[in-house]
């Protein structure tokens, strides 16, 4: 199966999954920038992982999508949330009549942005479940063992092209060793991740702590559970059919994580980088206000971290 794929943003998500695809011989092009781009061009892409390590995979990368050979079959958008609009604009030379676009970003708003930019008929929903970062230019560090993608049609059957694209990508993913799931309801899958991520990112960044001590202390454990329950309530008010016990199950799943696990937002906070706060706890609080659903925990997290939201410059 021949398929051409573009990865916009070669951070932990785009670098890991794009790297596996490239290593398997899939025609993948990467849009990156800065020192990371230079390292990719000179030394290839490496992944430090206990699951799928790679070293010096030759990749075709540029900061100019127009130089990468024209339309592709599938665009994977994997930039930080504040770069979404710029990434979608930059991807335009890679988008043709039969190109599908999927966001693998955090949050719940990226699908709408992709649809607004390129039309619902070519938009897929996506979820990336992985803990990975750029450790240094050209090198992605994957921690833990989870590395899974979920892709699906937001409105199943709307466009046969999307169904074919999913089928083709599933075949390629299997060959490349990418763990891919195609859920029946991708919107629900996006919200299930969002409930966890907004709450987990918020509580770890707020306390400047890994998850183990948070769960061991009754007061911070209760704060985390409250954040989960608020996000679930907002999801249901949006019409998302989350299970009644989803918050409790998410807490139980969190308890199985290594005690030293931190969120990427806490990592960004520690490094003085910009935070995805407005799109995580900030969006839960905002939507709660709009929908009449109380979300005081996420409101407090947003306020408490606001002075750090734009990083140290």
């Amino acid at each position: 199966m021949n398929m051409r794929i573009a990865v916009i943003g070669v951070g932990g998500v785009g670098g890991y999954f794009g790297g596996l695809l490239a290593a398997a011989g899939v025609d993948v092009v990467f849009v990156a920038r800065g020192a990371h781009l230079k390292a990719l061009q000179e030394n290839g892409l490496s992944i430090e992982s206990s699951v799928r390590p790679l070293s010096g995979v030759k990749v075709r990368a540029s900061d100019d999508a127009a130089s990468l050979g024209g339309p592709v079959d599938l665009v994977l958008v994997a930039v930080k949330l504040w770069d979404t609009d710029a990434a979608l604009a930059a991807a335009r030379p890679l988008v043709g009549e039969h190109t599908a676009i999927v966001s693998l970003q955090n949050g719940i708003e990226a699908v709408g942005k992709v649809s607004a930019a390129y039309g619902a008929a070519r938009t897929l929903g996506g979820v990336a479940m992985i803990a990975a970062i750029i450790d240094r230019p050209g090198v992605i560090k994957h921690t833990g063992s989870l590395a899974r993608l979920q892709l699906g049609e937001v409105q199943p059957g709307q466009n046969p092209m999307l169904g074919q694209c999913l089928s083709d990508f599933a075949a390629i993913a299997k060959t490349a060793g990418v763990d891919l799931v195609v859920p029946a309801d991708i919107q629900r899958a996006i919200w299930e991740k969002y409930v966890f991520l907004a709450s987990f990112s918020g509580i770890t960044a707020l306390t400047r702590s890994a998850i183990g001590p948070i769960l061991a202390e009754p007061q911070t454990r209760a704060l985390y559970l409250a954040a989960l329950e608020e996000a679930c309530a907002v999801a249901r008010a949006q019409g998302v059919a989350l299970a009644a016990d989803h918050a409790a199950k998410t807490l139980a799943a969190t308890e199985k994580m290594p005690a030293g696990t931190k969120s990427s937002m806490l990592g960004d906070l520690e490094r003085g980088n910009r935070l995805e706060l407005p799109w995580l706890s900030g969006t839960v609080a905002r939507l709660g206000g709009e929908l009449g659903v109380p979300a005081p925990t996420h409101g407090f997290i947003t306020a408490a971290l606001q002075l750090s939201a734009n990083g140290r410059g």
Side-chain angles (χ1 to χ4, degrees), residues 15 26 48 64-65 74 84 102 142 144 169 210 220 238 241 247 272 275 294 299 311:
V26 179
E48 294 180 350
D64 178 12
L74 176 64
T84 303
V102 60
H142 169 220
F169 185 70
T220 48
Q238 288 276 91
L275 309 181

Side-chain angles (χ1 to χ4, degrees), residues 214-226 251 255:
I214 291 170
L215 296 180
E217 165 55 51
Q219 293 185 71
T220 48
R221 179 188 179 90
L223 197 64
Y224 175 54
L225 179 57
L251 175 61
E255 290 176 319

Side-chain angles (χ1 to χ4, degrees), residues 149-219:
L149 289 181
Q150 297 185 67
L151 265 65
E153 296 180 65
V154 177
Q155 297 178 339
Q158 181 188 51
N159 184 351
M161 179 199 78
L162 293 181
Q164 186 62 53
C165 179
L166 274 176
S167 177
D168 292 346
F169 185 70
I172 286 173
K174 184 176 182 179
T175 300
V178 172
D179 183 1
L180 175 68
V181 174
V182 180
D185 186 346
I186 190 62
Q187 289 283 36
R188 177 174 171 172
I190 290 170
W191 269 94
E192 286 175 343
K193 176 187 175 181
Y194 181 65
V195 165
F196 161 74
L197 188 66
S199 305
F200 179 78
S201 297
I203 193 67
T204 54
L206 177 68
T207 60
R208 274 72 165 174
S209 172
I211 195 61
I214 291 170
L215 296 180
E217 165 55 51
Q219 293 185 71

Side-chain angles (χ1 to χ4, degrees), residues 207-278:
T207 60
R208 274 72 165 174
S209 172
I211 195 61
I214 291 170
L215 296 180
E217 165 55 51
Q219 293 185 71
T220 48
R221 179 188 179 90
L223 197 64
Y224 175 54
L225 179 57
L228 291 171
E229 290 172 338
E230 289 173 12
C232 284
V234 170
R236 295 186 187 105
Q238 288 276 91
V240 181
L242 294 184
D245 61 350
H246 184 69
K249 285 186 174 180
T250 303
L251 175 61
T254 309
E255 290 176 319
K256 297 178 182 179
M257 299 171 69
T261 303
K262 298 180 179 182
S263 67
S264 61
M265 193 162 82
L266 174 55
D268 285 333
L269 179 65
E270 292 172 334
R271 291 187 292 272
N273 296 338
R274 190 174 177 182
L275 309 181
E276 290 189 324
L277 177 68

Side-chain angles (χ1 to χ4, degrees), residues 38 67 73 81 106 108 112 177 192 204 231 235 241 243 250 280 313:
K38 184 178 180 182
S67 71
D73 298 295
L81 286 164
N106 295 327
I108 53 169
E192 286 175 343
T204 54
T250 303
L280 298 178

Side-chain angles (χ1 to χ4, degrees), residues 1-4 25-27 73 168 172:
M1 171 59 61
N2 294 322
M3 192 175 194
R4 193 159 186 261
V26 179
D27 184 1
D73 298 295
D168 292 346
I172 286 173

Side-chain angles (χ1 to χ4, degrees), residues 30-32 37 61-69 90 93-94:
F30 297 84
V31 177
L37 170 61
S62 174
D63 57 2
D64 178 12
S67 71
L68 293 173
L94 298 167

